[in-house]
Short mmCIF file of all heavy atoms in Angstrom, two decimals:
data_model
loop_
_atom_site.label_atom_id
_atom_site.label_comp_id
_atom_site.label_asym_id
_atom_site.label_seq_id
_atom_site.Cartn_x
_atom_site.Cartn_y
_atom_site.Cartn_z
N LEU A 57 -29.60 -25.00 7.81
CA LEU A 57 -29.37 -26.07 8.77
C LEU A 57 -29.10 -25.48 10.14
O LEU A 57 -28.47 -24.43 10.28
CB LEU A 57 -28.18 -26.92 8.34
CG LEU A 57 -28.37 -27.72 7.06
CD1 LEU A 57 -27.08 -28.45 6.71
CD2 LEU A 57 -29.51 -28.70 7.20
N GLU A 58 -29.58 -26.17 11.14
CA GLU A 58 -29.40 -25.71 12.51
C GLU A 58 -28.50 -26.71 13.23
O GLU A 58 -28.72 -27.91 13.14
CB GLU A 58 -30.76 -25.63 13.19
CG GLU A 58 -30.69 -25.15 14.61
CD GLU A 58 -32.08 -25.12 15.24
OE1 GLU A 58 -33.07 -24.98 14.50
OE2 GLU A 58 -32.16 -25.24 16.46
N THR A 59 -27.50 -26.23 13.91
CA THR A 59 -26.63 -27.09 14.69
C THR A 59 -27.14 -27.11 16.12
O THR A 59 -27.36 -26.06 16.73
CB THR A 59 -25.18 -26.59 14.67
OG1 THR A 59 -24.76 -26.49 13.31
CG2 THR A 59 -24.26 -27.52 15.43
N VAL A 60 -27.36 -28.31 16.65
CA VAL A 60 -27.89 -28.46 18.00
C VAL A 60 -26.83 -29.14 18.85
O VAL A 60 -26.25 -30.16 18.44
CB VAL A 60 -29.19 -29.32 17.98
CG1 VAL A 60 -29.72 -29.50 19.38
CG2 VAL A 60 -30.23 -28.68 17.09
N GLN A 61 -26.55 -28.59 19.99
CA GLN A 61 -25.59 -29.20 20.93
C GLN A 61 -26.35 -30.13 21.87
O GLN A 61 -27.27 -29.69 22.56
CB GLN A 61 -24.88 -28.10 21.74
CG GLN A 61 -24.04 -27.15 20.90
CD GLN A 61 -22.80 -27.81 20.35
OE1 GLN A 61 -22.23 -28.72 20.95
NE2 GLN A 61 -22.38 -27.37 19.18
N LEU A 62 -25.99 -31.40 21.87
CA LEU A 62 -26.65 -32.39 22.73
C LEU A 62 -25.61 -33.13 23.55
O LEU A 62 -24.47 -33.27 23.12
CB LEU A 62 -27.42 -33.41 21.87
CG LEU A 62 -28.59 -32.88 21.04
CD1 LEU A 62 -29.09 -33.97 20.11
CD2 LEU A 62 -29.71 -32.42 21.94
N PRO A 63 -26.02 -33.65 24.71
CA PRO A 63 -25.12 -34.53 25.44
C PRO A 63 -24.83 -35.77 24.59
O PRO A 63 -25.63 -36.14 23.72
CB PRO A 63 -25.90 -34.91 26.69
CG PRO A 63 -27.04 -33.95 26.78
CD PRO A 63 -27.26 -33.42 25.42
N VAL A 64 -23.72 -36.41 24.84
CA VAL A 64 -23.27 -37.54 24.00
C VAL A 64 -24.34 -38.63 23.91
O VAL A 64 -24.63 -39.12 22.82
CB VAL A 64 -21.95 -38.13 24.55
CG1 VAL A 64 -21.56 -39.39 23.81
CG2 VAL A 64 -20.84 -37.10 24.45
N HIS A 65 -24.96 -39.00 25.03
CA HIS A 65 -25.94 -40.09 24.98
C HIS A 65 -27.15 -39.72 24.13
O HIS A 65 -27.69 -40.56 23.40
CB HIS A 65 -26.36 -40.52 26.40
CG HIS A 65 -27.15 -39.49 27.15
ND1 HIS A 65 -26.58 -38.37 27.73
CD2 HIS A 65 -28.48 -39.40 27.40
CE1 HIS A 65 -27.52 -37.64 28.30
NE2 HIS A 65 -28.69 -38.23 28.12
N LYS A 66 -27.58 -38.46 24.19
CA LYS A 66 -28.71 -38.03 23.36
C LYS A 66 -28.29 -37.92 21.89
O LYS A 66 -29.06 -38.26 20.98
CB LYS A 66 -29.27 -36.69 23.84
CG LYS A 66 -30.13 -36.79 25.07
CD LYS A 66 -30.79 -35.47 25.37
CE LYS A 66 -31.71 -35.62 26.58
NZ LYS A 66 -32.41 -34.37 26.88
N ALA A 67 -27.08 -37.44 21.64
CA ALA A 67 -26.59 -37.32 20.27
C ALA A 67 -26.52 -38.71 19.61
O ALA A 67 -26.93 -38.87 18.46
CB ALA A 67 -25.22 -36.65 20.24
N LEU A 68 -26.03 -39.70 20.36
CA LEU A 68 -25.97 -41.07 19.83
C LEU A 68 -27.37 -41.60 19.55
O LEU A 68 -27.62 -42.23 18.51
CB LEU A 68 -25.23 -42.00 20.79
CG LEU A 68 -23.72 -41.80 20.86
CD1 LEU A 68 -23.13 -42.65 21.98
CD2 LEU A 68 -23.08 -42.16 19.53
N TRP A 69 -28.30 -41.35 20.47
CA TRP A 69 -29.67 -41.82 20.29
C TRP A 69 -30.30 -41.20 19.04
O TRP A 69 -30.88 -41.88 18.21
CB TRP A 69 -30.51 -41.54 21.53
CG TRP A 69 -31.96 -41.80 21.30
CD1 TRP A 69 -32.96 -40.88 21.23
CD2 TRP A 69 -32.58 -43.07 21.08
NE1 TRP A 69 -34.16 -41.50 20.98
CE2 TRP A 69 -33.96 -42.85 20.88
CE3 TRP A 69 -32.10 -44.37 21.01
CZ2 TRP A 69 -34.85 -43.87 20.62
CZ3 TRP A 69 -33.00 -45.40 20.76
CH2 TRP A 69 -34.35 -45.14 20.58
N TYR A 70 -30.20 -39.87 18.90
CA TYR A 70 -30.77 -39.20 17.75
C TYR A 70 -30.08 -39.63 16.45
O TYR A 70 -30.72 -39.77 15.41
CB TYR A 70 -30.71 -37.67 17.90
CG TYR A 70 -31.77 -37.14 18.82
CD1 TYR A 70 -31.46 -36.64 20.07
CD2 TYR A 70 -33.11 -37.14 18.43
CE1 TYR A 70 -32.43 -36.15 20.92
CE2 TYR A 70 -34.10 -36.66 19.28
CZ TYR A 70 -33.75 -36.17 20.52
OH TYR A 70 -34.73 -35.70 21.36
N GLY A 71 -28.77 -39.83 16.52
CA GLY A 71 -28.04 -40.30 15.34
C GLY A 71 -28.50 -41.68 14.89
O GLY A 71 -28.73 -41.92 13.71
N LEU A 72 -28.67 -42.59 15.86
CA LEU A 72 -29.15 -43.93 15.53
C LEU A 72 -30.58 -43.90 14.99
O LEU A 72 -30.93 -44.60 14.04
CB LEU A 72 -29.07 -44.85 16.75
CG LEU A 72 -27.67 -45.28 17.18
CD1 LEU A 72 -27.73 -46.00 18.51
CD2 LEU A 72 -27.05 -46.16 16.10
N LYS A 73 -31.41 -43.06 15.61
CA LYS A 73 -32.80 -42.94 15.18
C LYS A 73 -32.87 -42.40 13.74
O LYS A 73 -33.60 -42.93 12.91
CB LYS A 73 -33.55 -42.02 16.15
CG LYS A 73 -35.05 -42.12 16.08
CD LYS A 73 -35.70 -41.43 17.28
CE LYS A 73 -35.86 -39.98 16.98
NZ LYS A 73 -36.66 -39.23 17.93
N ASP A 74 -32.08 -41.37 13.45
CA ASP A 74 -32.06 -40.81 12.10
C ASP A 74 -31.49 -41.82 11.10
O ASP A 74 -32.00 -41.94 9.99
CB ASP A 74 -31.23 -39.52 12.05
CG ASP A 74 -31.95 -38.34 12.68
OD1 ASP A 74 -33.17 -38.46 12.94
OD2 ASP A 74 -31.29 -37.30 12.90
N ALA A 75 -30.44 -42.54 11.50
CA ALA A 75 -29.85 -43.54 10.60
C ALA A 75 -30.87 -44.63 10.29
O ALA A 75 -30.98 -45.09 9.14
CB ALA A 75 -28.60 -44.15 11.23
N TRP A 76 -31.64 -45.05 11.28
CA TRP A 76 -32.67 -46.08 11.06
C TRP A 76 -33.75 -45.56 10.11
O TRP A 76 -34.16 -46.25 9.17
CB TRP A 76 -33.28 -46.52 12.38
CG TRP A 76 -34.41 -47.49 12.21
CD1 TRP A 76 -35.72 -47.27 12.47
CD2 TRP A 76 -34.32 -48.83 11.72
NE1 TRP A 76 -36.46 -48.38 12.17
CE2 TRP A 76 -35.63 -49.36 11.70
CE3 TRP A 76 -33.27 -49.64 11.28
CZ2 TRP A 76 -35.90 -50.65 11.27
CZ3 TRP A 76 -33.55 -50.92 10.85
CH2 TRP A 76 -34.85 -51.42 10.84
N THR A 77 -34.19 -44.33 10.31
CA THR A 77 -35.22 -43.74 9.45
C THR A 77 -34.71 -43.63 8.01
O THR A 77 -35.41 -43.99 7.06
CB THR A 77 -35.64 -42.35 9.97
OG1 THR A 77 -36.13 -42.50 11.30
CG2 THR A 77 -36.69 -41.72 9.09
N ILE A 78 -33.49 -43.15 7.85
CA ILE A 78 -32.92 -43.02 6.51
C ILE A 78 -32.75 -44.38 5.86
O ILE A 78 -33.05 -44.56 4.67
CB ILE A 78 -31.57 -42.26 6.57
CG1 ILE A 78 -31.82 -40.80 6.97
CG2 ILE A 78 -30.83 -42.33 5.24
CD1 ILE A 78 -30.56 -40.03 7.30
N THR A 79 -32.31 -45.38 6.62
CA THR A 79 -32.14 -46.73 6.08
C THR A 79 -33.47 -47.30 5.61
O THR A 79 -33.57 -47.88 4.52
CB THR A 79 -31.49 -47.66 7.12
OG1 THR A 79 -30.23 -47.10 7.52
CG2 THR A 79 -31.28 -49.06 6.57
N LYS A 80 -34.54 -47.11 6.40
CA LYS A 80 -35.87 -47.56 5.97
C LYS A 80 -36.28 -46.87 4.69
O LYS A 80 -36.83 -47.50 3.78
CB LYS A 80 -36.91 -47.31 7.07
CG LYS A 80 -36.81 -48.23 8.26
CD LYS A 80 -37.99 -48.13 9.21
CE LYS A 80 -38.45 -46.75 9.50
NZ LYS A 80 -39.45 -46.64 10.56
N ASN A 81 -36.02 -45.57 4.59
CA ASN A 81 -36.37 -44.83 3.38
C ASN A 81 -35.57 -45.31 2.17
O ASN A 81 -36.10 -45.39 1.06
CB ASN A 81 -36.17 -43.33 3.59
CG ASN A 81 -37.17 -42.74 4.56
OD1 ASN A 81 -38.23 -43.30 4.80
ND2 ASN A 81 -36.82 -41.60 5.13
N VAL A 82 -34.30 -45.63 2.39
CA VAL A 82 -33.46 -46.12 1.29
C VAL A 82 -33.97 -47.48 0.82
O VAL A 82 -34.07 -47.73 -0.39
CB VAL A 82 -31.98 -46.22 1.74
CG1 VAL A 82 -31.15 -47.02 0.75
CG2 VAL A 82 -31.39 -44.84 1.92
N VAL A 83 -34.32 -48.36 1.75
CA VAL A 83 -34.85 -49.68 1.38
C VAL A 83 -36.16 -49.52 0.61
O VAL A 83 -36.37 -50.16 -0.42
CB VAL A 83 -35.05 -50.57 2.63
CG1 VAL A 83 -35.83 -51.83 2.31
CG2 VAL A 83 -33.70 -50.93 3.24
N HIS A 84 -37.03 -48.64 1.09
CA HIS A 84 -38.31 -48.40 0.39
C HIS A 84 -38.05 -47.84 -1.01
O HIS A 84 -38.65 -48.30 -1.99
CB HIS A 84 -39.18 -47.43 1.19
CG HIS A 84 -40.48 -47.14 0.53
ND1 HIS A 84 -40.65 -46.02 -0.25
CD2 HIS A 84 -41.65 -47.82 0.48
CE1 HIS A 84 -41.88 -46.02 -0.74
NE2 HIS A 84 -42.51 -47.10 -0.31
#
Side-chain angles (χ1 to χ4, degrees):
L57 294 177
E58 181 181 334
T59 304
V60 179
Q61 297 289 330
L62 296 171
V64 173
H65 68 283
K66 282 188 178 182
L68 287 173
W69 171 250
Y70 282 109
L72 288 172
K73 197 167 86 170
D74 286 348
W76 176 249
T77 301
I78 292 170
T79 302
K80 287 191 317 188
N81 291 339
V82 167
V83 170
H84 179 263

